[in-house]
Amino acid sequence: MKQSPDHEDEILDVRRHQDPGRNRLTPVVQLPPDVALSVVDALAGLVRAAHRTEQARPTPAGVLKQAQEFEEGDVFMLEPPFEGFFADRYLMDFYDTAERDICSRMHLHTGLRFVRMMTGPETTIRVSSLSPITVRPAAANWTGPLRAFTDALPGTPTGVHRDRHNVIVPPNSWVDMQIPRGVSHQFNAVGPNAVIDSVHPEESIETLREGMSGYRMMAQTIFLAKDKSPATTCADTTDPSSSARH
């Protein structure tokens, strides 16, 4: 899939891309705000500690770097792969889109992903894709459907329109996402309390297949836009066309 294996900002023309499948979401559990915040804080704390260690003692060249950065947030490879076990696991401490006034870009990966999104109080995650997102039946005791709507993908070339399909992860919730290889997606957290627990089931295979020189999330990513857009293009959690109907 990669044109240049180690390129960390490779761009695919959004006019040509068609998703080979669909992402799936599964609402898992809704928690009391204090419990949700405790979980998010504990996991985000692991990421922040790893990044403090990296700043104090940078990883030597040629050694696996576990504290990395991605567009949606800081990441920490909690469990690296090893011989005979291809998968690994990352934690991500989300940036607050509204605070930074920057949205992450629509992108795809060179391998499939399994993601658990977790929010605390006053925080949502807007999940987006160029294809409709399948929302599976919620687990027991989940209240209400996930909010979903479609808008226009921002930043496309002049005269090009692509629908962007969005689902909102509400505060104090866990929602799982299954992302097939090569399927577009975009995460943007609005609020300070959001983390991802992400399993990359075939990361060693991806790295070998694509000819990459090491494990780096940015190198395993292909973006569908050249530039990031302002928060106004991804911070809304309601259908922007709904106001026009009132």
Side-chain angles (χ1 to χ4, degrees):
M1 292 175 65
K2 294 282 291 193
Q3 298 298 311
S4 178
D6 290 320
H7 197 330
E8 296 193 355
D9 194 25
E10 187 165 301
I11 310 297
L12 178 64
D13 190 341
V14 71
R15 291 171 291 192
R16 296 190 294 110
H17 176 72
Q18 296 296 326
D19 284 336
R22 288 188 178 188
N23 301 305
R24 290 191 175 197
L25 294 181
T26 302
V28 178
V29 67
Q30 294 170 305
L31 299 169
D34 58 334
V35 175
L37 183 60
S38 293
V39 172
V40 169
D41 277 350
L43 295 177
L46 296 177
V47 180
R48 294 166 189 171
H51 279 258
R52 287 194 298 269
T53 299
E54 179 65 29
Q55 288 181 340
R57 297 187 297 277
T59 301
V63 176
L64 175 65
K65 183 178 179 180
Q66 292 183 259
Q68 303 177 27
E69 296 80 32
F70 199 64
E71 289 204 352
E72 298 107 330
D74 289 339
V75 295
F76 168 47
M77 185 189 281
L78 180 65
E79 298 156 14
F82 57 90
E83 187 174 351
F85 195 89
F86 306 125
D88 55 20
R89 189 180 209 123
Y90 287 88
L91 297 175
M92 176 185 287
D93 178 17
F94 268 105
Y95 303 134
D96 183 345
T97 295
E99 182 180 89
R100 294 201 313 157
D101 193 25
I102 296 174
C103 298
S104 68
R105 290 175 286 176
M106 189 73 71
H107 60 277
L108 50 95
H109 293 302
T110 55
L112 59 89
R113 301 286 184 264
F114 180 77
V115 171
R116 172 160 287 171
M117 296 171 280
M118 292 168 275
T119 57
E122 301 179 352
T123 304
T124 59
I125 300 173
R126 177 166 165 168
V127 185
S128 307
S129 178
L130 296 179
S131 298
I133 299 171
T134 299
V135 179
R136 299 186 61 252
N141 300 319
W142 185 280
T143 304
L146 297 181
R147 187 181 304 126
F149 59 92
T150 301
D151 63 359
L153 180 70
T156 56
T158 302
V160 175
H161 174 88
R162 294 296 302 265
D163 283 338
R164 178 173 62 174
H165 303 270
N166 308 279
V167 178
I168 305 300
V169 177
N172 309 312
S173 301
W174 292 11
V175 174
D176 286 353
M177 185 171 181
Q178 294 164 282
I179 307 172
R181 180 188 180 204
V183 174
S184 63
H185 57 285
Q186 180 184 30
F187 301 112
N188 285 288
V190 181
N193 305 308
V195 295
I196 272 180
D197 180 1
S198 177
V199 175
H200 301 187
E202 53 180 9
E203 182 142 13
S204 296
I205 297 174
E206 288 175 58
T207 302
L208 178 63
R209 180 180 60 219
E210 303 294 333
M212 300 169 188
S213 61
Y215 300 107
R216 297 192 312 283
M217 284 187 69
M218 292 292 283
Q220 292 166 314
T221 301
I222 301 171
F223 293 98
L224 290 165
K226 182 177 183 294
D227 300 310
K228 303 179 187 71
S229 58
T232 53
T233 65
C234 68
D236 287 342
T237 59
T238 57
D239 185 347
S241 66
S242 61
S243 59
R245 295 195 291 265
H246 295 291

